[in-house]
Amino acid sequence: REECQKAIEMAKGRVDAVLAARQKEVDRKAEVERLKLEQEANMLKLVQELTDLVVAAEEGTKLLDEVTTPLDESAKDEKITPAKVMKLVDAAETAGAEAKAKTKACTDFIMQRRQDLQVF
C-alpha cells in the first residue's frame, strides 16, 4: 500500500514536471512571437519615416528642377536683365540648398538607423 502511494506521488510529480515543461515551452513561443511582432512594427515605423524623408527629398529635387528651368531658358533670351538673372540664380541656390538638406536627411537617417533597418 505504501509503495503504491509513493508510485502515485512519483507519477504525479512526473506529470506535473511534463506539464510545467509544456507550459514553459508555450510561454517561450508566445514571447518569441511577441518579439517578432514588435520588431515588425518597429521596422514598419522606420520604413514609413524613411519613406516620408524620401518623398520630401523628391519634392525638393522637383522644386529645384522647376526653379532652374527658367534659368536655362533665360540663357537664350537676349532681353533678360542681369537683375532677373540674379533673381533666378538666387532662387536656384535656395532650392538647391533645400534639396541637398532633404537628401542629407535621408542619408543621415539611413546611417543612424542602419542596424535597425537590417533584416536578418
Side-chain angles (χ1 to χ4, degrees):
R1 175 123 175 117
E2 216 174 284
E3 285 180 29
C4 287
Q5 285 294 9
K6 284 184 183 180
I8 291 172
E9 286 180 26
M10 287 178 69
K12 283 182 181 179
R14 281 189 230 132
V15 168
D16 289 344
V18 168
L19 291 175
R22 284 183 184 169
Q23 184 60 44
K24 187 175 180 180
E25 182 63 16
V26 166
D27 292 345
R28 185 192 67 76
K29 286 181 179 181
E31 179 65 12
V32 166
E33 184 65 20
R34 184 190 67 77
L35 290 174
K36 181 181 171 185
L37 292 174
E38 187 177 299
Q39 276 183 320
E40 283 181 21
N42 287 339
M43 181 64 73
L44 289 174
K45 179 183 170 201
L46 291 174
V47 168
Q48 185 58 52
E49 286 180 46
L50 182 56
T51 299
D52 294 344
L53 290 171
V54 169
V55 167
E58 288 173 343
E59 289 172 357
T61 303
K62 184 178 177 184
L63 178 63
L64 178 60
D65 285 342
E66 291 171 3
V67 169
T68 56
T69 299
L71 188 59
D72 289 340
E73 293 169 357
S74 71
K76 300 172 189 170
D77 184 3
E78 295 177 6
K79 297 178 184 177
I80 192 163
T81 65
K84 176 72 173 171
V85 171
M86 287 308 297
K87 185 177 178 182
L88 292 172
V89 168
D90 288 342
E93 286 177 348
T94 301
E98 289 175 9
K100 183 177 179 180
K102 290 176 180 180
T103 302
K104 184 175 181 332
C106 292
T107 304
D108 291 346
F109 181 85
I110 292 169
M111 295 304 290
Q112 291 170 357
R113 305 307 295 261
R114 174 176 279 157
Q115 290 294 102
D116 299 330
L117 290 168
Q118 288 181 340
V119 177
F120 296 96

